[in-house]
Amino acid sequence: MLELQEDFLHGLQMLKSLQSKYVVKLLGFCEEAFLILTEYHPFGSLKNLNQVLNLPKYKVFNTWHRRFMLAIDYVSIIHYLHNSPLGTFVMCDSSDLDKVLSQYLLTSDFHIVINDLDALPLVNRSSGELVRCGHQELQGEFVAPEQLWPYGPEVPFEDSLMPPYDEMTDIWKIPDVTNFLLGEAEGSDLVRFHLFDIHVACKKSPAERPSAEKVLDSYRRVLTSLVRGTVMPGTRDML
């Protein structure tokens, strides 16, 4: 019960402290009943994106431009978490694509807000404090390489021996999330083409990866280029 209370209070405090256009709006709470009231978004989590855009009334929004704007929203949120008023937070509830998408809500005007702030450990560079996401071994290609157990299968996983890491784990996952957000809308492959270099950089070693700000700047430059039609000759027709 005490652990439940601590988790609730931590999540509530994070929600209160990080209120911004990037975070779901907090409307009220009751600590005694462990209740938090937030703004309702009928589309639900970001996992529902393709289903929503396939509905006849919303197909007009199923364009490369709208989908790319959602990707820019996503990177903007990562940038905010990495540069928040409270410090640099890492999105730890992100062991696979579905888990990442479930942390965000799709708004009725087709933007993204983050909804789940429970698992956001803080990186403190001044004290050299890094993070570990949870106490279980992470596996698979979605998580960053530095989040994987480095000592091989012959050494049983032990949380205390797992090397810590920083917010660059979030950067590693950006290309995969953006790939989902872009979907198969006409023109989306051209967007992927122009994002290729920055996405390659996101998959480099932690020290070589760009900051969320640099990724965001690259995304915005690509958007401006595509909208203005200043792309390579012959590619405009692909839109």
Side-chain angles (χ1 to χ4, degrees):
M1 188 65 174
L2 181 59
E3 185 176 352
L4 174 64
Q5 184 179 26
E6 289 176 350
D7 287 347
F8 170 82
L9 292 175
H10 172 71
L12 176 60
Q13 184 57 44
M14 293 290 288
L15 199 51
K16 289 163 65 176
S17 301
L18 294 176
Q19 281 294 288
S20 69
K21 67 178 182 179
Y22 305 110
V23 178
V24 68
K25 186 178 295 184
L26 176 64
L27 300 178
F29 58 89
C30 177
E31 293 186 14
E32 292 77 11
F34 301 126
L35 291 176
I36 295 177
L37 179 65
T38 59
E39 185 176 16
Y40 175 61
H41 294 284
F43 290 157
S45 86
L46 199 52
K47 290 197 295 184
N48 301 328
L49 175 63
N50 290 330
Q51 293 171 305
V52 171
L53 290 178
N54 282 330
L55 294 173
K57 67 185 295 187
Y58 298 121
K59 280 192 174 181
V60 66
F61 296 102
N62 193 14
T63 64
W64 71 265
H65 183 269
R66 173 45 54 197
R67 283 177 169 273
F68 192 21
M69 290 300 294
L70 290 173
I72 290 174
D73 279 354
Y74 169 70
V75 178
S76 297
I77 293 171
I78 297 298
H79 175 252
Y80 174 68
L81 293 176
H82 289 183
N83 300 273
S84 84
L86 302 180
T88 300
F89 289 104
V90 179
M91 275 293 296
C92 264
D93 272 344
S94 57
S95 55
D96 57 51
L97 180 60
D98 270 2
K99 189 66 173 174
V100 170
L101 298 175
S102 70
Q103 309 303 304
Y104 299 86
L105 295 173
L106 179 63
T107 68
S108 297
D109 57 350
F110 289 95
H111 287 283
I112 299 174
V113 291
I114 189 169
N115 182 52
D116 192 339
L117 301 174
D118 292 341
L120 289 178
L122 193 63
V123 171
N124 190 333
R125 294 211 184 290
S126 60
S127 65
E129 185 178 346
L130 302 179
V131 305
R132 297 186 188 92
C133 288
H135 303 287
Q136 305 298 320
E137 182 178 0
L138 297 176
Q139 297 177 329
E141 295 182 359
F142 186 80
V143 297
E146 63 269 25
Q147 293 184 279
L148 300 173
W149 180 242
Y151 303 118
E154 63 276 3
V155 180
F157 177 81
E158 188 173 330
D159 182 42
S160 62
L161 297 178
M162 181 67 198
Y165 35 82
D166 60 18
E167 74 277 10
M168 287 296 124
T169 57
D170 292 335
I171 304 300
W172 170 275
K173 297 159 189 171
I174 286 175
D176 301 286
V177 177
T178 292
N179 186 56
F180 168 82
L181 294 175
L182 289 176
E184 299 179 0
E186 184 178 357
S188 61
D189 283 344
L190 181 58
V191 179
R192 289 184 178 90
F193 173 79
H194 284 278
L195 295 178
F196 180 80
D197 287 344
I198 190 64
H199 282 176
V200 167
C202 289
K203 296 294 187 179
K204 291 184 176 180
S205 67
E208 295 177 297
R209 289 174 207 157
S211 65
E213 182 177 13
K214 288 184 178 179
V215 177
L216 185 58
D217 287 344
S218 294
Y219 274 38
R220 287 172 172 163
R221 283 197 301 271
V222 168
L223 177 65
T224 299
S225 175
L226 291 173
V227 169
R228 290 180 178 175
T230 57
V231 293
M232 293 188 301
T235 59
R236 181 67 185 174
D237 291 339
M238 294 175 63
L239 297 177

PDB file of all heavy atoms in Angstrom, residues 206-228:
ATOM      1  N   PRO A 206      26.136   6.180 -28.293  1.00  0.00           N
ATOM      2  CA  PRO A 206      25.507   7.255 -27.506  1.00  0.00           C
ATOM      3  C   PRO A 206      26.201   8.604 -27.637  1.00  0.00           C
ATOM      4  O   PRO A 206      25.535   9.635 -27.794  1.00  0.00           O
ATOM      5  CB  PRO A 206      25.580   6.722 -26.071  1.00  0.00           C
ATOM      6  CG  PRO A 206      25.565   5.238 -26.222  1.00  0.00           C
ATOM      7  CD  PRO A 206      26.328   4.947 -27.491  1.00  0.00           C
ATOM      8  N   ALA A 207      27.514   8.620 -27.587  1.00  0.00           N
ATOM      9  CA  ALA A 207      28.252   9.883 -27.639  1.00  0.00           C
ATOM     10  C   ALA A 207      28.147  10.562 -29.005  1.00  0.00           C
ATOM     11  O   ALA A 207      28.312  11.781 -29.120  1.00  0.00           O
ATOM     12  CB  ALA A 207      29.721   9.647 -27.304  1.00  0.00           C
ATOM     13  N   GLU A 208      27.856   9.780 -30.037  1.00  0.00           N
ATOM     14  CA  GLU A 208      27.786  10.321 -31.398  1.00  0.00           C
ATOM     15  C   GLU A 208      26.366  10.701 -31.819  1.00  0.00           C
ATOM     16  O   GLU A 208      26.178  11.321 -32.863  1.00  0.00           O
ATOM     17  CB  GLU A 208      28.339   9.295 -32.401  1.00  0.00           C
ATOM     18  CG  GLU A 208      29.810   8.981 -32.245  1.00  0.00           C
ATOM     19  CD  GLU A 208      30.254   7.914 -33.230  1.00  0.00           C
ATOM     20  OE1 GLU A 208      29.760   6.775 -33.147  1.00  0.00           O
ATOM     21  OE2 GLU A 208      31.090   8.235 -34.097  1.00  0.00           O
ATOM     22  N   ARG A 209      25.377  10.310 -31.029  1.00  0.00           N
ATOM     23  CA  ARG A 209      24.003  10.622 -31.410  1.00  0.00           C
ATOM     24  C   ARG A 209      23.707  12.108 -31.237  1.00  0.00           C
ATOM     25  O   ARG A 209      24.232  12.755 -30.335  1.00  0.00           O
ATOM     26  CB  ARG A 209      23.025   9.809 -30.538  1.00  0.00           C
ATOM     27  CG  ARG A 209      23.014   8.331 -30.854  1.00  0.00           C
ATOM     28  CD  ARG A 209      22.148   7.538 -29.879  1.00  0.00           C
ATOM     29  NE  ARG A 209      22.645   6.164 -29.791  1.00  0.00           N
ATOM     30  CZ  ARG A 209      22.442   5.343 -28.776  1.00  0.00           C
ATOM     31  NH1 ARG A 209      21.719   5.757 -27.739  1.00  0.00           N
ATOM     32  NH2 ARG A 209      22.937   4.122 -28.786  1.00  0.00           N
ATOM     33  N   PRO A 210      22.842  12.646 -32.080  1.00  0.00           N
ATOM     34  CA  PRO A 210      22.464  14.059 -31.943  1.00  0.00           C
ATOM     35  C   PRO A 210      21.543  14.255 -30.745  1.00  0.00           C
ATOM     36  O   PRO A 210      20.878  13.316 -30.287  1.00  0.00           O
ATOM     37  CB  PRO A 210      21.723  14.347 -33.252  1.00  0.00           C
ATOM     38  CG  PRO A 210      21.152  13.021 -33.647  1.00  0.00           C
ATOM     39  CD  PRO A 210      22.166  11.993 -33.214  1.00  0.00           C
ATOM     40  N   SER A 211      21.493  15.464 -30.235  1.00  0.00           N
ATOM     41  CA  SER A 211      20.543  15.792 -29.181  1.00  0.00           C
ATOM     42  C   SER A 211      19.142  15.835 -29.775  1.00  0.00           C
ATOM     43  O   SER A 211      18.957  15.914 -30.998  1.00  0.00           O
ATOM     44  CB  SER A 211      20.876  17.151 -28.571  1.00  0.00           C
ATOM     45  OG  SER A 211      20.696  18.174 -29.549  1.00  0.00           O
ATOM     46  N   ALA A 212      18.134  15.798 -28.914  1.00  0.00           N
ATOM     47  CA  ALA A 212      16.752  15.914 -29.386  1.00  0.00           C
ATOM     48  C   ALA A 212      16.548  17.244 -30.106  1.00  0.00           C
ATOM     49  O   ALA A 212      15.792  17.321 -31.081  1.00  0.00           O
ATOM     50  CB  ALA A 212      15.788  15.784 -28.207  1.00  0.00           C
ATOM     51  N   GLU A 213      17.239  18.283 -29.648  1.00  0.00           N
ATOM     52  CA  GLU A 213      17.122  19.592 -30.293  1.00  0.00           C
ATOM     53  C   GLU A 213      17.623  19.533 -31.736  1.00  0.00           C
ATOM     54  O   GLU A 213      17.000  20.101 -32.643  1.00  0.00           O
ATOM     55  CB  GLU A 213      17.908  20.646 -29.516  1.00  0.00           C
ATOM     56  CG  GLU A 213      17.805  22.041 -30.095  1.00  0.00           C
ATOM     57  CD  GLU A 213      18.541  23.084 -29.273  1.00  0.00           C
ATOM     58  OE1 GLU A 213      19.336  22.700 -28.385  1.00  0.00           O
ATOM     59  OE2 GLU A 213      18.322  24.290 -29.509  1.00  0.00           O
ATOM     60  N   LYS A 214      18.736  18.843 -31.959  1.00  0.00           N
ATOM     61  CA  LYS A 214      19.279  18.735 -33.308  1.00  0.00           C
ATOM     62  C   LYS A 214      18.362  17.907 -34.205  1.00  0.00           C
ATOM     63  O   LYS A 214      18.187  18.216 -35.393  1.00  0.00           O
ATOM     64  CB  LYS A 214      20.681  18.126 -33.264  1.00  0.00           C
ATOM     65  CG  LYS A 214      21.734  19.074 -32.699  1.00  0.00           C
ATOM     66  CD  LYS A 214      23.125  18.474 -32.763  1.00  0.00           C
ATOM     67  CE  LYS A 214      24.168  19.467 -32.228  1.00  0.00           C
ATOM     68  NZ  LYS A 214      25.535  18.884 -32.259  1.00  0.00           N
ATOM     69  N   VAL A 215      17.778  16.840 -33.652  1.00  0.00           N
ATOM     70  CA  VAL A 215      16.827  16.043 -34.428  1.00  0.00           C
ATOM     71  C   VAL A 215      15.621  16.896 -34.798  1.00  0.00           C
ATOM     72  O   VAL A 215      15.161  16.899 -35.945  1.00  0.00           O
ATOM     73  CB  VAL A 215      16.376  14.793 -33.646  1.00  0.00           C
ATOM     74  CG1 VAL A 215      15.334  14.013 -34.453  1.00  0.00           C
ATOM     75  CG2 VAL A 215      17.564  13.897 -33.312  1.00  0.00           C
ATOM     76  N   LEU A 216      15.133  17.649 -33.830  1.00  0.00           N
ATOM     77  CA  LEU A 216      13.976  18.509 -34.065  1.00  0.00           C
ATOM     78  C   LEU A 216      14.284  19.563 -35.133  1.00  0.00           C
ATOM     79  O   LEU A 216      13.458  19.815 -36.022  1.00  0.00           O
ATOM     80  CB  LEU A 216      13.561  19.179 -32.754  1.00  0.00           C
ATOM     81  CG  LEU A 216      12.293  20.042 -32.772  1.00  0.00           C
ATOM     82  CD1 LEU A 216      11.090  19.225 -33.226  1.00  0.00           C
ATOM     83  CD2 LEU A 216      12.041  20.625 -31.374  1.00  0.00           C
ATOM     84  N   ASP A 217      15.451  20.160 -35.062  1.00  0.00           N
ATOM     85  CA  ASP A 217      15.853  21.143 -36.077  1.00  0.00           C
ATOM     86  C   ASP A 217      15.893  20.510 -37.466  1.00  0.00           C
ATOM     87  O   ASP A 217      15.455  21.122 -38.452  1.00  0.00           O
ATOM     88  CB  ASP A 217      17.219  21.735 -35.736  1.00  0.00           C
ATOM     89  CG  ASP A 217      17.181  22.695 -34.558  1.00  0.00           C
ATOM     90  OD1 ASP A 217      16.064  23.135 -34.200  1.00  0.00           O
ATOM     91  OD2 ASP A 217      18.249  23.000 -33.994  1.00  0.00           O
ATOM     92  N   SER A 218      16.425  19.303 -37.548  1.00  0.00           N
ATOM     93  CA  SER A 218      16.490  18.599 -38.836  1.00  0.00           C
ATOM     94  C   SER A 218      15.095  18.315 -39.373  1.00  0.00           C
ATOM     95  O   SER A 218      14.823  18.500 -40.569  1.00  0.00           O
ATOM     96  CB  SER A 218      17.267  17.284 -38.687  1.00  0.00           C
ATOM     97  OG  SER A 218      18.625  17.525 -38.389  1.00  0.00           O
ATOM     98  N   TYR A 219      14.209  17.861 -38.501  1.00  0.00           N
ATOM     99  CA  TYR A 219      12.830  17.581 -38.917  1.00  0.00           C
ATOM    100  C   TYR A 219      12.170  18.845 -39.457  1.00  0.00           C
ATOM    101  O   TYR A 219      11.492  18.817 -40.487  1.00  0.00           O
ATOM    102  CB  TYR A 219      12.032  17.043 -37.726  1.00  0.00           C
ATOM    103  CG  TYR A 219      12.127  15.546 -37.504  1.00  0.00           C
ATOM    104  CD1 TYR A 219      13.311  14.859 -37.705  1.00  0.00           C
ATOM    105  CD2 TYR A 219      11.027  14.818 -37.062  1.00  0.00           C
ATOM    106  CE1 TYR A 219      13.409  13.498 -37.477  1.00  0.00           C
ATOM    107  CE2 TYR A 219      11.097  13.447 -36.840  1.00  0.00           C
ATOM    108  CZ  TYR A 219      12.292  12.797 -37.052  1.00  0.00           C
ATOM    109  OH  TYR A 219      12.372  11.446 -36.837  1.00  0.00           O
ATOM    110  N   ARG A 220      12.364  19.951 -38.769  1.00  0.00           N
ATOM    111  CA  ARG A 220      11.729  21.200 -39.192  1.00  0.00           C
ATOM    112  C   ARG A 220      12.296  21.697 -40.513  1.00  0.00           C
ATOM    113  O   ARG A 220      11.564  22.242 -41.345  1.00  0.00           O
ATOM    114  CB  ARG A 220      11.895  22.259 -38.090  1.00  0.00           C
ATOM    115  CG  ARG A 220      11.004  22.006 -36.880  1.00  0.00           C
ATOM    116  CD  ARG A 220      11.328  22.939 -35.743  1.00  0.00           C
ATOM    117  NE  ARG A 220      10.353  22.816 -34.657  1.00  0.00           N
ATOM    118  CZ  ARG A 220      10.543  23.268 -33.413  1.00  0.00           C
ATOM    119  NH1 ARG A 220      11.683  23.889 -33.113  1.00  0.00           N
ATOM    120  NH2 ARG A 220       9.624  23.114 -32.489  1.00  0.00           N
ATOM    121  N   ARG A 221      13.590  21.508 -40.719  1.00  0.00           N
ATOM    122  CA  ARG A 221      14.197  21.901 -41.996  1.00  0.00           C
ATOM    123  C   ARG A 221      13.635  21.064 -43.142  1.00  0.00           C
ATOM    124  O   ARG A 221      13.351  21.588 -44.230  1.00  0.00           O
ATOM    125  CB  ARG A 221      15.723  21.766 -41.932  1.00  0.00           C
ATOM    126  CG  ARG A 221      16.415  22.887 -41.177  1.00  0.00           C
ATOM    127  CD  ARG A 221      17.898  22.923 -41.500  1.00  0.00           C
ATOM    128  NE  ARG A 221      18.567  21.677 -41.159  1.00  0.00           N
ATOM    129  CZ  ARG A 221      19.100  21.416 -39.971  1.00  0.00           C
ATOM    130  NH1 ARG A 221      19.035  22.321 -39.006  1.00  0.00           N
ATOM    131  NH2 ARG A 221      19.696  20.271 -39.731  1.00  0.00           N
ATOM    132  N   VAL A 222      13.482  19.771 -42.899  1.00  0.00           N
ATOM    133  CA  VAL A 222      12.920  18.897 -43.930  1.00  0.00           C
ATOM    134  C   VAL A 222      11.487  19.303 -44.239  1.00  0.00           C
ATOM    135  O   VAL A 222      11.079  19.377 -45.405  1.00  0.00           O
ATOM    136  CB  VAL A 222      12.981  17.416 -43.485  1.00  0.00           C
ATOM    137  CG1 VAL A 222      12.141  16.534 -44.409  1.00  0.00           C
ATOM    138  CG2 VAL A 222      14.428  16.932 -43.462  1.00  0.00           C
ATOM    139  N   LEU A 223      10.710  19.589 -43.197  1.00  0.00           N
ATOM    140  CA  LEU A 223       9.327  20.008 -43.411  1.00  0.00           C
ATOM    141  C   LEU A 223       9.272  21.284 -44.254  1.00  0.00           C
ATOM    142  O   LEU A 223       8.507  21.364 -45.227  1.00  0.00           O
ATOM    143  CB  LEU A 223       8.632  20.236 -42.070  1.00  0.00           C
ATOM    144  CG  LEU A 223       7.184  20.753 -42.163  1.00  0.00           C
ATOM    145  CD1 LEU A 223       6.274  19.719 -42.808  1.00  0.00           C
ATOM    146  CD2 LEU A 223       6.660  21.143 -40.778  1.00  0.00           C
ATOM    147  N   THR A 224      10.082  22.270 -43.888  1.00  0.00           N
ATOM    148  CA  THR A 224      10.105  23.531 -44.631  1.00  0.00           C
ATOM    149  C   THR A 224      10.502  23.297 -46.085  1.00  0.00           C
ATOM    150  O   THR A 224       9.899  23.852 -47.008  1.00  0.00           O
ATOM    151  CB  THR A 224      11.089  24.519 -43.974  1.00  0.00           C
ATOM    152  OG1 THR A 224      10.664  24.787 -42.635  1.00  0.00           O
ATOM    153  CG2 THR A 224      11.147  25.820 -44.748  1.00  0.00           C
ATOM    154  N   SER A 225      11.503  22.453 -46.287  1.00  0.00           N
ATOM    155  CA  SER A 225      11.968  22.154 -47.631  1.00  0.00           C
ATOM    156  C   SER A 225      10.874  21.504 -48.470  1.00  0.00           C
ATOM    157  O   SER A 225      10.650  21.876 -49.628  1.00  0.00           O
ATOM    158  CB  SER A 225      13.187  21.227 -47.553  1.00  0.00           C
ATOM    159  OG  SER A 225      13.598  20.822 -48.836  1.00  0.00           O
ATOM    160  N   LEU A 226      10.179  20.553 -47.893  1.00  0.00           N
ATOM    161  CA  LEU A 226       9.130  19.851 -48.634  1.00  0.00           C
ATOM    162  C   LEU A 226       7.938  20.749 -48.920  1.00  0.00           C
ATOM    163  O   LEU A 226       7.366  20.723 -50.011  1.00  0.00           O
ATOM    164  CB  LEU A 226       8.685  18.611 -47.854  1.00  0.00           C
ATOM    165  CG  LEU A 226       9.710  17.479 -47.764  1.00  0.00           C
ATOM    166  CD1 LEU A 226       9.219  16.385 -46.829  1.00  0.00           C
ATOM    167  CD2 LEU A 226       9.999  16.904 -49.141  1.00  0.00           C
ATOM    168  N   VAL A 227       7.563  21.538 -47.937  1.00  0.00           N
ATOM    169  CA  VAL A 227       6.405  22.417 -48.118  1.00  0.00           C
ATOM    170  C   VAL A 227       6.689  23.485 -49.171  1.00  0.00           C
ATOM    171  O   VAL A 227       5.835  23.823 -49.988  1.00  0.00           O
ATOM    172  CB  VAL A 227       6.000  23.065 -46.776  1.00  0.00           C
ATOM    173  CG1 VAL A 227       4.994  24.176 -46.991  1.00  0.00           C
ATOM    174  CG2 VAL A 227       5.413  22.001 -45.848  1.00  0.00           C
ATOM    175  N   ARG A 228       7.906  24.014 -49.157  1.00  0.00           N
ATOM    176  CA  ARG A 228       8.268  25.063 -50.114  1.00  0.00           C
ATOM    177  C   ARG A 228       8.606  24.505 -51.487  1.00  0.00           C
ATOM    178  O   ARG A 228       8.746  25.257 -52.452  1.00  0.00           O
ATOM    179  CB  ARG A 228       9.456  25.870 -49.582  1.00  0.00           C
ATOM    180  CG  ARG A 228       9.105  26.748 -48.391  1.00  0.00           C
ATOM    181  CD  ARG A 228      10.334  27.512 -47.932  1.00  0.00           C
ATOM    182  NE  ARG A 228      10.019  28.407 -46.817  1.00  0.00           N
ATOM    183  CZ  ARG A 228      10.923  29.121 -46.164  1.00  0.00           C
ATOM    184  NH1 ARG A 228      12.206  29.033 -46.514  1.00  0.00           N
ATOM    185  NH2 ARG A 228      10.570  29.905 -45.155  1.00  0.00           N
TER     186      ARG A 228
END
